[in-house]
Amino acid sequence: MDSSSVLSTIGTDIISVMSPVSICMLLVVFLVYSLSPASPNNNGTSLRTAATLVYLETPSDTATQKLEGALLNALVFVVLISAVTFMLVLLYYYNFTSFLKNYMRFSAFFVLASMGGSIFLSIIEHFSVPIDGFTCFVLIVNFTVVGVLSVFSPGIPIFVRQSYMVVLGIIVATWFTKLPEWTTWVLLVALAVYDLVAVLVPGGPLKMLVELASSRDEELPALIYEARPTISRNAERGGELGVFVGMGSGSVELQPVQHNDNVGENGGSSDQNFRARGSDNESEDEETSPLVANSVQRPVTSGGNSHHSQPDERLFGSVSSEIVEEETSPLVNGASSGSRAVERRRSRRDGGDHDSDIGMTMKAGIKLGLGDFVFYSVLVGRAAMYDLMTVYACYLAIISGLGCTLILLSVCQRALPALPISITLGVIFYFLTRLLMEPFVVGTSTNLLMF
Amino acid sequence: MTVAAGLGYALLALGPSLSLFVSVISKKPFLILTVLSSTLLWLMSLIALSGAWRAFLPLKTTRWWPYAILVITSVVFQEGLRVLFWKVYKKLEDILDSFADRVSKPRLFLTDKMQIALAGGLGHGVAHAVFFCLSLLTPAFGPATFYVDRCPQMPFFLISAIISLGFVTIHTFSMVIAFNGFAEGKRMHQVFVPGVHLAAALVTLINLSSGGCMVGIPILYFLVALTLIYCGNMVWKRLTEDRSRRH
């Protein structure tokens, strides 16, 4: 009986984004935990990367020195990122799309093979896994090749692609946790600010990139996690977030639609297409990226009569068989027949639910840039170096920030940066936990006091 | 003690919640979101409390009354927060109902409401276990263990895991009781919840005296059993009422 209750459908969207992010963070924390004691001297002689071009932190420096150095590092890093992003925009503007795609493939290859390989090797070393060199080589090569293929090819199952995105996030984040502490914090804040600017300010590189891509009707050549096809059971996807929209702002009117293929349909498309776009610039510095709400019509105010989902034609490229099925579903204009169509479709969907089909719906799910994965995980990984308590606090803060961003997304219907809210909350909670909560909790619970 | 011990302690404290999560919560995304937000709420309450108490910590005295004040203020604060949580939930319920109307689905069933309450309680409980037990468990994964002077019978981690389990259960199910109490307007339920919470928190004060844990833990588990029975009783009654009303 619960299957018909609204509870089981609401929030699928949010969870489908939150779960990979959680997995990514969890694995990064594990990696940080298990690998950091194995190489204690690595922190002492920290390696010089793009993020520490100016200043290398040493424990003996004073706080002001560290702060200045960290600020400089962050500044340089952000400038680098924005330069690379502008270059990407430029290349994309002049239609070097295949070059960009190949470049992304190359960076995926580089990340998976060299950085991932070295993490793999250190895991082997740390747990002293008996494995011979040849097998190890074959494993890494296979893993890498499949990963590179999965980045942009449509033939690969979306699940593989999603897993590889998470793996890429994990690898890069694990490397980022090797940055010195002060630099990490300042860098995270700087990136959150950068993300905010780049996505929201007119002329910001990411905003330009996203607009360019949506005006051309094509996928961004960038590393993006798509939550789309794992969401299978929703006849009323849009409504899910619509619940929160109703909460957030009484009424949301139709948005100006740039590319609405469904012109004959008034107020009917109840799916919300969110896409988060990411771009990534260097193999090492994955780029922060915004969440983009695609151009859709807002269903929420249209009353209860016309909630039936509408395929988004732009996304048809890869999931053709399902699309056919979807396209045969009726386009209903009338209010009365609309709800019947919903019923019918719902029953069909519910019937097919159990096999957790890939591409059960072909709507654009929420898309989250890989950079967001990376920097969330960097924050949590950095918190893991202090204590488990800070890890939990930061995790909760980030996830709730992500939730807020998603709700905002459904309100705003446009590209949103995913980093600022989460990172701000994460940083605040980290320091609150570290400075305030820890003495309290440790004090009470070592006395075996609880409440 | 090694990884096995650490995992064992963690599962001791959080195992029941984990199975509850997997069997009930994880199937419904909305409930997961409820758990997360309720965990966050509890964390924020803890941060607020620790902010308020930061100036006085660490308590150097061995007398019990400062601790008693600490525990009582904390419980009062958290119970106040529970009322707030209820109010927010009430709004949410209205939104959900109107949403259900809009997509022409049935409104929330009684079981749905109870599941939301359960998820909220589970969030509180998990947050409790995570911050009071799990976050101190890191040393238990190492090669040694740790005993406190006042309770030499068991390792510290084991005691805290056991106490945490008790509190997780109390938190989880008292939220169900409280929500039902608020919904029905029954004073009894509304008073029972803070009462049990306060009693359980005060019982842990016994642990301050040497060897007190051998007394405190059984009393705590008596309270846990009381909560469980009370909750079960109430849910059973409401469900049968509901069923008879529907027929």
Side-chain angles (χ1 to χ4, degrees):
Chain A
M1 88 182 168
D2 283 332
S3 62
S4 62
S5 135
V6 279
L7 267 200
S8 44
T9 49
I10 291 173
T12 344
D13 257 338
I14 298 182
I15 291 299
S16 69
V17 175
M18 280 182 182
S19 48
V21 172
S22 308
I23 292 171
C24 187
M25 289 197 253
L26 182 77
L27 289 177
V28 169
V29 168
F30 271 141
L31 276 179
V32 167
Y33 250 108
S34 53
L35 294 186
S36 59
S39 51
N41 51 353
N42 207 355
N43 289 339
T45 61
S46 50
L47 60 172
R48 197 170 269 277
T49 56
T52 48
L53 277 179
V54 186
Y55 166 74
L56 261 184
E57 191 175 314
T58 46
S60 54
D61 288 352
T62 60
T64 39
Q65 255 178 327
K66 285 182 186 172
L67 187 66
E68 279 173 11
L71 280 173
L72 275 179
N73 275 340
L75 188 72
V76 169
F77 189 70
V78 167
V79 167
L80 248 167
I81 279 194
S82 28
V84 176
T85 318
F86 268 116
M87 211 157 78
L88 272 179
V89 174
L90 217 62
L91 284 175
Y92 190 61
Y93 185 75
Y94 290 111
N95 274 325
F96 287 106
T97 316
S98 63
F99 169 77
L100 283 177
K101 284 194 173 176
N102 283 321
Y103 171 68
M104 292 303 157
R105 288 196 184 105
F106 168 73
S107 46
F109 174 80
F110 180 76
V111 168
L112 286 172
S114 69
M115 298 160 80
S118 91
I119 289 175
F120 184 61
L121 287 184
S122 54
I123 290 174
I124 287 177
E125 212 172 279
H126 183 251
F127 293 102
S128 42
V129 182
I131 187 171
D132 63 297
F134 182 70
T135 320
C136 180
F137 178 74
V138 169
L139 273 180
I140 291 181
V141 166
N142 270 319
F143 182 72
T144 309
V145 167
V146 176
V148 170
L149 286 182
S150 76
V151 173
F152 284 115
S153 0
I156 307 279
I158 194 78
F159 178 72
V160 175
R161 193 170 161 184
Q162 288 173 334
S163 334
Y164 266 106
M165 284 299 155
V166 173
V167 168
L168 279 174
I170 291 169
I171 292 172
V172 178
T174 313
W175 275 84
F176 262 102
T177 53
K178 293 184 178 166
L179 293 180
E181 183 170 12
W182 284 67
T183 306
T184 312
W185 290 114
V186 178
L187 189 68
L188 282 173
V189 174
L191 279 169
V193 174
Y194 163 79
D195 200 18
L196 197 66
V197 171
V199 179
L200 293 181
V201 171
L206 290 176
K207 188 182 170 75
M208 276 155 64
L209 200 64
V210 164
E211 281 172 356
L212 213 57
S214 75
S215 73
R216 282 189 201 169
D217 265 13
E218 45 185 46
E219 299 273 315
L220 257 187
L223 299 177
I224 300 171
Y225 181 90
E226 296 175 53
R228 157 180 43 128
T230 51
I231 313 160
S232 50
R233 63 168 79 191
N234 20 43
E236 52 279 283
R237 272 265 313 287
E240 290 158 20
L241 282 173
V243 173
F244 297 106
V245 177
M247 189 165 68
S249 72
S251 78
V252 181
E253 292 302 325
L254 297 188
Q255 294 287 306
V257 179
Q258 290 177 333
H259 291 279
N260 195 353
D261 299 301
N262 322 318
V263 185
E265 185 69 24
N266 38 1
S269 86
S270 87
D271 55 350
Q272 298 179 339
N273 306 329
F274 300 130
R275 26 177 66 191
R277 304 252 92 151
S279 55
D280 98 350
N281 34 25
E282 242 176 76
S283 53
E284 204 180 343
D285 7 321
E286 239 73 14
E287 161 80 33
T288 63
S289 54
L291 288 156
V292 179
N294 235 332
S295 50
V296 280
Q297 296 171 313
R298 288 292 316 151
V300 178
T301 51
S302 60
N305 45 12
S306 54
H307 282 269
H308 49 107
S309 37
Q310 175 67 31
D312 188 342
E313 312 246 334
R314 273 163 299 158
L315 299 155
F316 278 7
S318 55
V319 274
S320 48
S321 65
E322 294 297 332
I323 289 149
V324 173
E325 185 198 10
E326 189 66 20
E327 277 180 327
T328 58
S329 58
L331 292 175
V332 185
N333 281 321
S336 57
S337 49
S339 54
R340 239 184 301 135
V342 178
E343 288 302 328
R344 200 159 61 72
R345 180 171 315 202
R346 187 181 303 140
S347 58
R348 195 185 70 205
R349 287 270 168 79
D350 285 348
D353 259 353
H354 304 291
D355 44 19
S356 68
D357 242 346
I358 290 167
M360 188 63 201
T361 72
M362 57 305 311
K363 292 165 239 160
I366 299 166
K367 298 190 179 181
L368 193 64
L370 201 57
D372 303 321
F373 274 79
V374 170
F375 291 109
Y376 293 162
S377 310
V378 169
L379 207 165
V380 175
R382 175 42 74 177
M385 290 179 191
Y386 184 69
D387 192 15
L388 267 184
M389 208 178 296
T390 49
V391 174
Y392 303 128
C394 286
Y395 168 75
L396 283 175
I398 287 175
I399 283 292
S400 65
L402 185 61
C404 289
T405 313
L406 291 178
I407 290 170
L408 269 184
L409 186 71
S410 73
V411 175
C412 294
Q413 293 294 303
R414 51 169 298 186
L416 283 182
L419 281 183
I421 301 177
S422 292
I423 294 290
T424 315
L425 281 179
V427 171
I428 290 173
F429 270 66
Y430 175 83
F431 287 106
L432 280 180
T433 310
R434 185 168 168 173
L435 299 176
L436 293 182
M437 210 174 87
E438 213 202 357
F440 181 80
V441 169
V442 171
T444 51
S445 60
T446 46
N447 281 313
L448 291 174
L449 283 181
M450 295 188 189
F451 48 84
Chain B
M1 297 289 170
T2 49
V3 177
L7 274 181
Y9 295 137
L11 282 180
L12 192 60
L14 277 171
S17 326
L18 190 69
S19 49
L20 204 59
F21 184 85
V22 171
S23 61
V24 180
I25 308 286
S26 66
K27 296 192 178 71
K28 299 185 177 174
F30 185 76
L31 296 183
I32 304 180
L33 294 179
T34 314
V35 170
L36 283 175
S37 44
S38 136
T39 315
L40 186 77
L41 185 75
W42 205 86
L43 167 65
M44 289 199 289
S45 84
L46 198 60
I47 288 180
L49 278 172
S50 49
W53 276 91
R54 183 69 180 94
F56 308 102
L57 289 173
L59 294 171
K60 290 272 186 263
T61 61
T62 48
R63 271 173 298 178
W64 61 272
W65 58 267
Y67 292 105
I69 296 174
L70 189 149
V71 163
I72 290 173
T73 49
S74 310
V75 171
V76 167
F77 183 70
Q78 291 190 338
E79 290 302 324
L81 218 59
R82 199 197 296 276
V83 178
L84 187 80
F85 194 55
W86 160 253
K87 294 223 165 104
V88 173
Y89 162 74
K90 197 69 202 150
K91 283 214 183 87
L92 193 70
E93 195 184 300
D94 292 342
I95 293 173
L96 284 180
D97 273 341
S98 64
F99 172 68
D101 287 347
R102 212 164 54 212
V103 297
S104 57
K105 279 201 172 191
R107 293 190 160 206
L108 292 183
F109 298 114
L110 183 63
T111 44
D112 288 337
K113 292 179 187 173
M114 282 181 182
Q115 278 178 353
I116 295 177
L118 186 74
L122 190 70
H124 273 44
V126 166
H128 172 97
V130 158
F131 287 104
F132 279 112
C133 172
L134 219 57
S135 57
L136 300 175
L137 221 53
T138 331
F141 286 93
T145 189
F146 172 61
Y147 287 86
V148 279
D149 295 334
R150 298 194 193 100
C151 195
Q153 289 90 344
M154 288 180 276
F156 165 75
F157 304 115
L158 184 61
I159 310 171
S160 71
I162 290 175
I163 297 182
S164 284
L165 174 62
F167 273 97
V168 170
T169 321
I170 288 179
H171 278 300
T172 307
F173 292 100
S174 62
M175 191 67 92
V176 180
I177 300 175
F179 272 27
N180 272 300
F182 287 130
E184 286 182 291
K186 278 197 183 154
R187 274 262 159 250
M188 179 62 196
H189 301 333
Q190 291 172 21
V191 174
F192 179 82
V193 172
V196 160
H197 190 182
L198 191 64
L202 287 178
V203 160
T204 58
L205 283 177
I206 300 175
N207 295 330
L208 285 178
S209 64
S210 124
C213 59
M214 297 314 279
V215 185
I217 290 178
I219 301 180
L220 179 68
Y221 272 80
F222 170 72
L223 289 170
V224 170
L226 194 70
T227 315
L228 276 177
I229 293 169
Y230 193 93
C231 180
N233 222 343
M234 185 203 66
V235 169
W236 177 254
K237 234 183 253 168
R238 284 214 68 186
L239 283 183
T240 44
E241 266 173 35
D242 188 57
R243 201 169 300 148
S244 62
R245 201 179 303 151
R246 229 186 283 164
H247 286 302

